[in-house]
Amino acid sequence: MREVVLITGISGSGKSVALHALEDAGYFCIDNLPPELLPDFLRIERDRSDRRVAIAVDVRSAGSLPHLLPLIDRLRGEGVGIRSLFLDASTDALVRRFSETRRPHPLSTTAAPARAGTDPSDPASDGRRALVDAIELERELLGELREVSTVIDTSQLRPAQLRLWLRDLVGAPHGGLTLVFESFAFKHGVPLDADFVFDVRVLPNPFYIRELRPFTGRDAGVADYLAAQPEVPEMLSQIGDFILRWLPAFENDQRSYLTVGIGCTGGQHRSVYLAEQLARRFRGHCATLLRHRELDARE
């Protein structure tokens, strides 16, 4: 049968947005399917081999989660292609989202009580502590599943960005390794989904050249300026050679995705230029995706 996309992740990280995006892309989607029912459902789906399927499983099925990993291995051994995508976000981002929606966390009744040292007369503080405890408990319950999945960090993503990135991921060829280059701004935090992070803030910054400040690393003026700085091609070559050296090892390790984060101060010039150049270099080696976290947020 066709590939099955399994959507998992931390509550509040955007699983509903992801599932709706896949539904709009033509997938048959099921939310919160108990893992025990997955084999029976897929046996039924074998008669509909033309239908693409996406299934969301989350901590609401906490009692069944220990059985999910062995079940995925078994189904893959039976020839079912399962692509597991794990949505994650920083604790601060999750707390903010729960506060905005005023929805309770699924584990809010089972999380540990507020930590010692909190002011019991401050209900806001106590409520935040309880929410953080629930989030940390969920991270612990889903930790093993996260390790074997492709992680998408939604901390800084708008829903439109998440839908775009998700469509890129499921559209990439499955079965080999996909190399993802992502530019970002350190001032907004390091992406949680990055396997490697390279800090390029030591390179000359076009931001301090008034004529180049409004442009980005995708524009010719910025690209020409950076290419003319001796340090930039040197760093670009060294990062590329490092990835090229270790790429076969990650392919042999049966990795589906390898995400390389390239960070500068604002995520507009240096990181964008280097990510663009690296993606261009590796397109001939394997499937390659390109993301610009800060630029995509502006569009």
Side-chain angles (χ1 to χ4, degrees):
M1 65 178 298
R2 284 195 177 193
E3 172 187 282
V4 175
V5 177
L6 186 66
I7 302 289
T8 66
I10 305 297
S11 300
S13 60
K15 295 189 297 297
S16 296
V17 173
L19 211 59
H20 290 155
L22 291 177
E23 191 171 37
D24 292 342
Y27 281 76
F28 178 73
C29 299
I30 300 179
D31 189 16
N32 197 29
L33 180 74
E36 301 94 327
L37 299 181
L38 187 56
D40 292 333
F41 171 74
L42 294 180
R43 273 192 287 271
I44 296 173
E45 278 300 306
R46 282 194 174 95
D47 297 330
R48 303 187 180 98
S49 58
D50 61 331
R51 186 159 75 173
R52 296 181 296 177
V53 175
I55 299 170
V57 177
D58 58 34
V59 80
R60 288 174 290 175
S61 303
S64 306
L65 285 175
H67 308 292
L68 185 55
L69 284 176
L71 186 58
I72 291 174
D73 290 338
R74 193 186 94 198
L75 291 170
R76 284 173 173 164
E78 295 174 0
V80 180
I82 296 182
R83 185 183 299 214
S84 180
L85 303 179
F86 189 100
L87 274 61
D88 202 352
S90 68
T91 299
D92 285 344
L94 295 172
V95 169
R96 184 177 65 251
R97 291 170 188 173
F98 276 105
S99 299
E100 290 170 351
T101 62
R102 300 190 181 279
R103 295 186 62 189
H105 190 281
L107 298 180
S108 57
T109 58
T110 57
R115 296 184 181 91
T118 58
D119 182 358
S121 64
D122 184 357
S125 173
D126 192 58
R128 178 184 170 86
R129 288 290 187 183
L131 177 55
V132 170
D133 286 340
I135 292 170
E136 293 309 314
L137 175 58
E138 185 175 22
R139 290 195 193 282
E140 182 179 342
L141 291 172
L142 298 178
E144 292 186 1
L145 186 57
R146 187 186 193 278
E147 288 296 315
V148 299
S149 304
T150 300
V151 180
I152 305 175
D153 177 14
T154 70
S155 305
Q156 303 289 334
L157 300 188
R158 294 179 294 106
Q161 279 180 273
L162 176 57
R163 288 193 289 267
L164 178 62
W165 287 18
L166 192 71
R167 285 197 294 268
D168 286 343
L169 281 173
V170 299
H174 190 46
L177 183 142
T178 298
L179 193 54
V180 183
F181 292 101
E182 179 177 345
S183 70
F184 69 94
F186 273 100
K187 67 180 182 181
H188 296 312
V190 176
L192 298 175
D193 51 4
D195 297 293
F196 291 110
V197 173
F198 293 95
D199 184 349
V200 301
R201 287 176 293 185
V202 296
L203 299 177
N205 192 351
F207 177 83
Y208 294 111
I209 299 175
R210 186 171 54 187
E211 295 81 3
L212 298 179
R213 185 176 301 177
F215 299 99
T216 76
R218 292 186 295 194
D219 294 307
V222 174
D224 292 343
Y225 168 80
L226 289 171
Q229 310 305 309
E231 308 97 309
V232 176
E234 183 179 4
M235 181 175 282
L236 192 57
S237 175
Q238 290 176 351
I239 294 175
D241 290 346
F242 174 84
I243 297 170
L244 189 63
R245 163 63 181 84
W246 292 104
L247 196 57
F250 283 98
E251 290 174 329
N252 293 335
D253 196 42
Q254 304 300 310
R255 293 285 292 269
S256 297
Y257 295 90
L258 182 68
T259 301
V260 180
I262 309 292
C264 64
T265 305
Q268 307 291 322
H269 300 103
R270 295 165 292 181
S271 62
V272 171
Y273 172 75
L274 267 72
E276 291 273 343
Q277 296 302 310
L278 288 166
R280 185 177 303 170
R281 173 176 175 178
F282 281 90
R283 282 194 182 111
H285 294 275
C286 61
T288 303
L289 296 178
L290 180 62
R291 302 172 180 165
H292 298 302
R293 191 180 72 181
E294 320 310 339
L295 293 190
D296 292 344
R298 301 189 325 189
E299 296 176 353

